[in-house]
Amino acid sequence: MPVTCVIGMHWGDEGKGGIVDTLADNADLVVRCQGGANAGHTVHVGSATYKFHLLPCGVLRENVQNLIGHGVVVDLEKILEEIETLRSHGIDPDGRLFISNRCQALMPYHKKLDGLSEKLLDKGALGTSRRGIGPCYADKVAYRGIRLADACDKDFLRKTLKKNLLVTNALLQHAYGEKPFDLDELVESTSALVAKIKPFITDGLAMIHKALKADKRILVEGAQGTLLDVDYGTYPFVSASNASVHGVSSGCGIPERKITTIIGVTKAYSTRVGAEAGPFPTEDKGPDAELIRKRGKEYGTTTGRPRQCGWLDLVATRYSAQVNDVDYLAVSLLDVLDVFDTIKVCEAYELDGKRTEAFPASCAELMRVKPIYRVMPGWKADITGYRKWDDLPVKALNYLEYIGKFTGAPVKIVRLGPEREQTVRRRET
Ligand code: IMO
Ligand code: MG
């Protein structure tokens, strides 16, 4: 009864989609547990490219069931768009895609409030995806959310929205000088959307329990990454959910003790998107980063924004490996480093003149640290065509070995390009 979790080690965009797609070949059920349409998971299959925001990547595998667990905030318009796009690719999600009835509905006013607060904060903005994520989770914990199960009941929906709009419209009108949302319009538009997704709505918790009981192979698809986790990440420059493995149980109902394998996904280097005002110790603004960005096509899947790039931060990676109790690491985009004479990894920070290997909780400290690098020789070879671990250039293997040794989590999967067959596993996995 394997329950495998695929978790991002950094600030998202680690290549989780590709890893999940590969592993889904041996799964019965793929589950998303947290986040929302802020995620952008790209999967390449032959000449087709799929970009998922809310749908689990397992939808691409015919025999795999997919569940959006209750920790996910569901943008009703976006999910319908995604389902339509999938259908336009000739993939039918009927009978294979399920949405938990305990999921929170992400409403149009969440997106509005997200945009308005970012605009107001201006240079201090968080650089959110403006998908309404923070406001939706905030409403959930302030008892102002709407579960899909309740959104299906029009009378209950109206009553709930009426209460919610008292607060939301007060904020919109009096804090932002904006137009209020109209209750009748919102009830009608929400009901119409809910009616369309109703065939997919199910008791997600019951589905999980049934799958566990039947010894199904469950694969959890993490969204964002540990450094964006609202508790373990670089707060306040985080996202609003528990993006580490700690969000799995609360986000879909798999009891923690049922989790059998935790895979941490990291790129062969580091990136971050949107949070120019937030900490990113190894951010590089020179030609190395430019080359990484160009070779790694480092532009946001969800927003198209250029990502900030830098060398791999092993201090942060080790922190995340510990937070998640990672069994092993998967390293994506190793081929991006093919052209470098030397490759740097950050193995300590200098904080106020002192060397430290600890990952600070203080955001102010993390903004002040300077990376201390180890310089390693590059392999200077095109590795995109390799299909066997042991055939990889020794210098590339040394790089992977060092990552494993430093973080305490061995690297057992490596990706050498976007295609399925470019995923190479170490023999014993
Ligand atoms: P995947 O699943 C990269 C970042 C945003 C912003 C911060 C808060 O593709 O790895 P939010 O919209 O969540 O309120 O924004 O989090 N962010 C991501 N960055 N990949 C993601 O998802 C992200 N989801 C959120 O850029 O800095
Ligand atoms: Mg992304």
Side-chain angles (χ1 to χ4, degrees):
M1 181 214 45
V3 176
T4 305
C5 301
V6 175
I7 305 290
M9 293 286 94
H10 295 150
W11 292 280
D13 302 328
E14 298 91 347
K16 298 175 291 291
I19 299 293
V20 169
D21 173 61
T22 310
L23 300 177
D25 198 18
N26 278 309
D28 300 306
L29 175 64
V30 177
V31 189
R32 272 277 307 266
C33 297
Q34 39 70 231
N38 49 349
H41 299 174
T42 309
V43 179
H44 298 263
V45 186
S47 56
T49 300
Y50 302 89
K51 294 184 181 198
F52 297 113
H53 301 286
L54 278 158
L55 302 189
C57 293
V59 290
L60 294 178
R61 303 271 183 182
E62 226 174 281
N63 300 320
V64 172
Q65 303 245 298
N66 296 272
L67 173 66
I68 298 180
H70 56 256
V72 176
V73 286
V74 179
D75 179 330
L76 306 174
E77 278 173 358
K78 277 266 169 267
I79 196 154
L80 284 167
E81 263 172 48
E82 255 185 85
I83 290 169
E84 279 321 303
T85 308
L86 200 65
R87 289 211 164 104
S88 73
H89 281 282
I91 299 169
D92 183 7
D94 295 342
R96 296 194 305 114
L97 173 67
F98 301 91
I99 307 168
S100 172
N101 53 5
R102 290 178 176 82
C103 283
Q104 294 282 322
L106 189 141
M107 304 298 289
Y109 49 79
H110 293 134
K111 290 186 267 193
K112 181 86 186 168
L113 287 169
D114 195 357
L116 287 169
S117 111
E118 284 289 280
K119 200 167 150 212
L120 193 67
L121 289 169
D122 194 26
K123 292 217 167 11
L126 255 88
T128 74
S129 61
R130 301 195 178 204
R131 296 288 157 98
I133 307 297
C136 187
Y137 278 110
D139 269 358
K140 173 181 171 176
V141 296
Y143 326 126
R144 275 197 303 274
I146 303 168
R147 278 181 167 182
L148 292 185
D150 292 327
C152 289
D153 178 331
K154 204 168 173 181
D155 288 337
F156 193 91
L157 174 69
R158 168 175 284 278
K159 278 188 204 140
T160 312
L161 270 175
K162 195 173 174 188
K163 275 194 294 182
N164 294 357
L165 285 186
L166 279 178
V167 179
T168 304
N169 280 341
L171 196 59
L172 282 169
Q173 287 175 280
H174 305 306
Y176 291 110
E178 291 282 327
K179 266 196 351 226
F181 275 83
D182 180 79
L183 176 63
D184 291 331
E185 269 174 39
L186 206 53
V187 171
E188 289 311 316
S189 57
T190 308
S191 293
L193 293 170
V194 169
K196 286 190 189 157
I197 67 162
K198 205 167 175 187
F200 299 101
I201 299 179
T202 192
D203 184 336
L205 210 48
M207 192 174 168
I208 287 289
H209 292 158
K210 202 169 148 202
L212 287 169
K213 208 164 173 206
D215 270 352
K216 297 285 184 202
R217 297 162 300 175
I218 303 177
L219 182 61
V220 173
E221 175 176 347
Q224 291 77 54
T226 304
L227 303 181
L228 286 174
D229 182 293
V230 69
D231 288 297
Y232 298 96
T234 53
Y235 194 88
F237 295 94
V238 291
S239 191
S241 67
N242 281 122
S244 66
V245 77
H246 303 292
V248 173
S249 288
S250 62
C252 76
I254 297 174
E256 261 171 51
R257 64 184 170 147
K258 301 280 187 199
I259 295 172
T260 47
T261 310
I262 302 165
I263 305 175
V265 188
T266 165
K267 277 176 187 163
Y269 46 90
S270 303
T271 64
R272 173 154 213 180
V273 67
E276 279 80 10
F280 180 11
T282 64
E283 181 178 13
D284 184 304
K285 292 191 168 151
D288 286 347
E290 222 161 90
L291 191 54
I292 287 174
R293 189 176 304 111
K294 190 163 154 241
R295 289 182 55 77
K297 301 187 182 64
E298 293 296 351
Y299 296 89
T301 312
T302 302
T303 54
R305 297 172 292 186
R307 295 179 183 140
Q308 301 149 257
C309 298
W311 296 108
L312 182 59
D313 185 342
L314 283 180
V315 177
T317 312
R318 175 165 61 191
Y319 165 79
S320 294
Q322 282 168 350
V323 162
N324 291 285
D325 194 18
V326 158
D327 289 289
Y328 62 89
L329 292 171
V331 172
S332 60
L333 292 136
L334 186 66
D335 57 299
V336 169
L337 304 185
D338 280 358
V339 295
F340 287 92
D341 292 327
T342 53
I343 292 167
K344 293 200 266 182
V345 284
C346 168
E347 53 178 19
Y349 297 143
E350 187 193 309
L351 176 61
D352 303 332
K354 288 200 188 97
R355 182 187 167 100
T356 174
E357 289 190 10
F359 191 71
S362 147
C363 186
E365 283 183 8
L366 205 54
M367 309 267 273
R368 284 206 303 278
V369 299
K370 293 190 185 79
I372 298 173
Y373 289 112
R374 164 183 286 257
V375 181
M376 302 183 71
W379 44 92
K380 298 279 282 182
D382 176 359
I383 58 171
T384 55
Y386 285 86
R387 297 292 176 264
K388 283 201 186 122
W389 189 276
D390 295 329
D391 292 345
L392 283 167
V394 173
K395 285 174 183 155
L397 289 174
N398 287 345
Y399 183 62
L400 299 175
E401 189 71 30
Y402 188 75
I403 294 171
K405 212 172 95 198
F406 190 94
T407 58
V411 181
K412 294 197 180 181
I413 300 181
V414 69
R415 297 199 81 218
L416 311 174
E419 304 301 328
R420 277 181 176 167
E421 56 275 16
Q422 287 174 304
T423 302
V424 177
R425 294 176 185 225
R426 215 163 87 180
R427 223 175 308 127
E428 69 266 47
T429 55

